[in-house]
């Protein structure tokens, strides 16, 4: 190659490198603008910025791959990792109490071209992670999962292609991505896969703490010196363990026995977390000014979540006395938390944890047929939930129905009827009158009216359930047929024998059309009891479903 062609080649290479670096810097700047929009609540603008940044990264991917260098030690300072937050405080879903994930979007914070090219995959992973946060907040869990899986692939490609050992920057990103990927899978009901991701995440905080200790021993300038950083890693480990425990318990199978051990391991971290919290303030400096919360306060929050998860696991396994002890422990801790010195900030979250524990306690007592004892915790749960979430929230409605069912079984018919009617109104508004939950409540309203001798009101409730059931489930659905048969029995008891006979023969015709066999056994009891003048619904019917 002559000197002229050599100069042309060098100029072309330099030009290409400069253009590539400029494109990468532009993408990162666009991502950081998206973070600003995100934090201000302008999610539409944030999404456009994130998507634009990701598109630019894809265009420059081939060029960057040929320009990568090994990661430098300066990357230790390139990601100030946020703390994970309790999932139930984000979406107010009691089924997620004790679980946690990362919710804060990340700025790239790269200021030099070399850093950009060396950390290209990390920057792309951050952008994908940021966009996944928006999808999670919009309950688009499939999209969030897909984005996080691609982000994980970017991190894996860097480790596989360029370095022998993962740097702290990549390990922190991997921890955040694995945690949120596990949560997305959990919300999709893919519990085994979620448990695997949470378990992978649980290995990283320890490695990062070890790295921080090594950096400190070598007198490196490193945010690992900060008690806040250590506290954050311990919290991440705590949530990873509880997340995995809940996923394993939900999945069942041969690994479900590991769940309780993980809960206990998480509980054992609380003292250490509290120690880190009370040592120094948020930046690891003086404790004056903006100090971290005192250890007792923070530990109470975490221990309340751990106690609730433990109770749920025991409850799932039918160990009711152990479950009730853990529910009561959760209630005690949450109550003390909400009355603490910063109760205005924490009372809502603490109250919702306590409400879930009261609800679980009431259900466990009901399961053991301790009906009188179940009423107070169920009523307390409904009161807390309706106050903090509103009457129409799904959790509030569930607690109200459970209270009605307990009163029903205690044969406190007047109170049970009032609760059922209120529940049905709320369910119809939130779910629609044809939803199975609404129909179940209407069926119980009919049962109480019939028991109390209010035939006309019982017929009205039956008709409500039948109309709604036929529209949503179809005329041959067992629930609908059962309610039609119930209507026949009520008519018979009111002395309207001809109408009763016609209704019950219609039931036989429906079942013949649906099953191909006349007068199936499931309705023989209805016919016999009707024409024998006896009581109708046995405990096994849909209207008698357990709370």
């Amino acid at each position: 190659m002559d000197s002229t062609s050599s100069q042309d080649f060098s100029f072309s290479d330099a030009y290409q490198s400069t253009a590539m670096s400029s494109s990468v810097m532009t993408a990162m700047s666009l991502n950081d603008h998206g973070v600003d929009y995100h934090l201000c609540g302008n999610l539409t603008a944030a999404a456009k910025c994130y998507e634009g940044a990701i598109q630019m990264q894809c265009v420059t991917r081939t060029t960057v791959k040929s320009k990568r260098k090994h990661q430098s030690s300066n990357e230790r300072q390139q990601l100030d990792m946020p703390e994970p937050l309790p999932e139930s405080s984000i979406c107010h879903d009691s089924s997620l109490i004790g679980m946690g994930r990362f919710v804060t979007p990340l700025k790239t914070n790269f200021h030099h071209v070399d850093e950009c090219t060396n950390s290209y995959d990390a920057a792309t992973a951050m952008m994908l992670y940021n966009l996944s946060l928006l999808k999670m907040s919009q309950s688009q869990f499939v999209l969030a999962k897909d984005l996080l899986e691609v982000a994980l692939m970017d991190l894996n490609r860097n480790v596989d292609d360029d370095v022998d050992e993962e740097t702290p920057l990549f390990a922190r990103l991997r921890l955040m991505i694995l945690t949120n990927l596990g949560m997305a899978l959990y919300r999709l009901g893919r519990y085994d896969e979620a448990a695997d991701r949470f378990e992978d995440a649980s290995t990283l905080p320890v490695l990062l703490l070890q790295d921080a200790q090594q950096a400190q021993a070598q007198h490196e300038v490193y945010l690992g010196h900060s008690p806040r950083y250590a506290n954050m890693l311990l919290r991440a480990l705590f949530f990873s363990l509880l997340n995995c425990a809940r996923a394993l318990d939900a999945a069942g199978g041969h690994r479900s026995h590991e769940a309780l051990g993980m809960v206990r391991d998480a509980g054992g971290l609380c003292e250490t977390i509290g120690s880190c919290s009370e040592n120094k303030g948020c930046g690891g400096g003086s404790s004056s000014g903006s100090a971290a919360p005192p250890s007792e306060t923070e530990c109470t929050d975490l221990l309340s979540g751990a106690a609730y998860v433990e109770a749920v696991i025991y409850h799932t396994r039918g160990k009711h006395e152990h479950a009730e002890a853990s529910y009561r422990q959760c209630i005690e801790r949450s109550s003390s938390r909400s009355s603490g010195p910063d109760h205005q900030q924490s009372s809502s979250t603490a109250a919702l944890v306590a409400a879930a524990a009261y609800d679980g306690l009431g259900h466990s007592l009901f399961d053991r047929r301790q009906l009188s004892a179940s009423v107070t915790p169920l009523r307390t749960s409904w009161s807390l939930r309706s106050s903090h979430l509103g009457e129409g929230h799904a959790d509030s409605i569930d607690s109200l129905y459970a209270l009605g069912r307990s009163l029903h079984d205690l044969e406190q018919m007047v109170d049970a009827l009032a609760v059922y009617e209120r529940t049905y109104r709320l369910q119809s508004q939130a779910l629609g009158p044809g939803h199975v939950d609404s129909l179940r409540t209407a069926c119980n309203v009919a049962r109480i009216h019939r028991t109390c001798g209010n035939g006309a009101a019982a017929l009205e409730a039956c008709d409500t359930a039948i109309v709604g059931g036929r529209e949503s489930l179809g005329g041959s659905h067992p629930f609908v047929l059962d309610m039609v048969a119930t209507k026949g029995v009520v008519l018979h008891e009111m002395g309207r024998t001809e109408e009763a006979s016609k209704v019950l023969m219609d039931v036989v015709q429906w079942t013949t059309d649906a099953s191909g066999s006349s007068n199936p056994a499931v309705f023989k009891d209805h016919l016999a009891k009707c024409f024998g003048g006896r009581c109708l619904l046995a405990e096994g019917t849909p209207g008698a479903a357990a709370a």
Side-chain angles (χ1 to χ4, degrees), residues 76-121:
R76 292 184 183 280
Q77 296 180 324
Q78 290 175 353
L79 175 61
D80 188 6
M81 188 170 170
E83 286 190 352
L85 296 179
E87 181 73 359
S88 59
S89 68
I90 302 166
C91 59
H92 300 304
D93 186 340
S94 63
S95 68
L96 303 171
I97 288 175
M99 305 183 77
R101 66 175 172 93
F102 294 92
V103 299
T104 305
L106 299 174
K107 288 191 174 183
T108 51
N109 291 325
F110 299 135
H111 305 294
H112 303 290
V113 171
D114 285 345
E115 288 180 352
C116 290
T117 54
N118 289 349
S119 303
Y120 171 86
D121 288 326

Side-chain angles (χ1 to χ4, degrees), residues 348-428:
S348 180
T349 300
L352 293 176
V353 174
Y358 276 118
D359 186 73
L361 177 60
H363 276 76
S364 182
L365 291 166
F366 181 92
D367 292 342
R368 294 201 294 123
R369 307 308 292 167
Q370 302 292 313
L371 300 176
S372 296
S374 72
V375 170
T376 297
L378 290 173
R379 181 176 280 120
T380 303
S381 174
W382 171 76
S383 177
L384 287 170
R385 285 175 165 175
S386 60
S387 296
H388 290 275
L389 298 174
E391 276 195 334
H393 191 277
D395 287 347
S396 303
I397 294 173
D398 287 347
S399 290
L400 188 61
Y401 175 82
L403 173 61
R405 180 62 212 278
S406 189
L407 292 168
H408 190 170
D409 282 21
L410 282 168
E411 299 185 357
Q412 297 180 18
M413 298 302 182
V414 175
D415 290 341
L417 179 61
V419 171
Y420 278 150
E421 288 178 335
R422 189 172 190 173
T423 302
Y424 178 75
R425 175 176 57 80
L426 294 169
Q427 288 173 329
S428 297

Side-chain angles (χ1 to χ4, degrees), residues 196-215:
D196 289 340
R197 299 292 82 75
F198 290 140
E199 191 168 28
D200 291 342
S202 69
T203 65
L204 294 169
V206 176
L207 295 176
L208 285 166
L209 283 169
Q210 291 173 347
D211 180 83
Q213 290 173 342
Q214 291 174 4

Side-chain angles (χ1 to χ4, degrees), residues 176-190:
M176 299 173 70
I177 290 168
L178 283 171
T179 299
N180 284 19
L181 176 56
M183 188 65 70
L185 289 165
Y186 187 93
R187 299 297 294 273
L188 290 169
R190 295 164 61 172

